[in-house]
Amino acid sequence: MSVQVVFDPRLGVFRHHFEHDPIVPGVMLIDYYVAQGVRARPDRMAAGLSDVRFQQFVRPGEPVDFTSCHSGEVRVERNGAACCTFKLDIAQVRLLASAATSKPGSMRALRIGALRDPDYWFLDDEIEVDHEGRMASCHVDMVALERRHGYLAEMPRWRPLVLIECAGNLALALQHLAEPGGARSRYVFARFGEIAYRTDCSLWEPRQTVVTHVKRFGTMLVWEATVSSPWSTQIVIRGAVSHGGKTQ
């Protein structure tokens, strides 16, 4: 499959990612392609992506080409240069196994303010953190988020974007606790070793729990996460890397 797309620069999300420097979120790129696969195979209920790498930023208004290669790799290119690459499997039924779990009784509540644009933070002021400072969790009320951030209604598939950003923001909060002030430099997603999520995102329960476990702190922040409700797991992320200080 090969398709070209231009992300509308008038979308409100680009006022916040990032302020005065609009960049198409990496999750928007990969989910756009996932959505095309789901439309072609509506019986498939989950997407599994592996070796997701973000090489260059995509700006809204720029034409980008998505090309599926014979090797199974999908390339996202701008003017022939790779911006993102990944492998995709649209599965009919997929067990989304947990990558990170909170331990009962091992978490303490902490108040942490937004470490980036408040309209792109998505977390409540209070999160739960384990005593080692490597795992954090929060509850996300999707109905309240949509009401609070009106621009989300412009994107039919905003839920994967918001919840994956929540997972990354929890990693930033843990980075801030480990090195106060360090997380305020701009972090962006550099890669995902694996990311799997249910594609029927409009049917996800309105209340979700996000759990993030940081494996390594620093400029290259390594983490994994799960997003789940009491009834099902929506998202699993393994081998995620957020790169701090990257601007171009």
Side-chain angles (χ1 to χ4, degrees), residues 66-179:
F66 292 76
T67 304
S68 179
C69 305
H70 293 299
S71 64
E73 182 180 72
V74 177
R75 294 178 59 84
V76 185
E77 298 181 331
R78 183 189 65 231
N79 296 326
C83 301
C84 173
T85 57
F86 58 90
K87 293 183 178 179
L88 172 65
D89 173 32
I90 300 290
Q92 188 167 12
V93 177
R94 185 185 181 96
L95 176 64
L96 295 172
S98 292
T101 56
S102 58
K103 303 171 185 176
S106 66
M107 313 291 277
R108 69 190 191 278
L110 290 177
R111 295 184 68 83
I112 296 182
L115 298 172
R116 61 196 305 184
D117 186 325
D119 282 315
Y120 207 75
W121 182 240
F122 304 128
L123 302 180
D124 288 339
D125 288 341
E126 187 172 282
I127 64 174
E128 292 190 322
V129 179
D130 74 342
H131 290 283
E132 295 180 355
R134 288 188 170 271
M135 186 176 292
S137 70
C138 70
H139 300 294
V140 180
D141 185 332
M142 307 295 282
V143 175
L145 271 185
E146 187 175 23
R147 190 181 303 122
R148 188 181 313 137
H149 305 288
Y151 68 86
L152 295 178
E154 301 171 355
M155 302 180 291
R157 292 179 59 86
W158 59 268
R159 292 166 183 82
L161 169 67
V162 165
L163 290 170
I164 293 168
E165 293 287 359
C166 281
N169 288 342
L170 281 177
L172 291 186
L174 291 169
Q175 171 69 26
H176 175 69
L177 292 173
E179 301 175 17

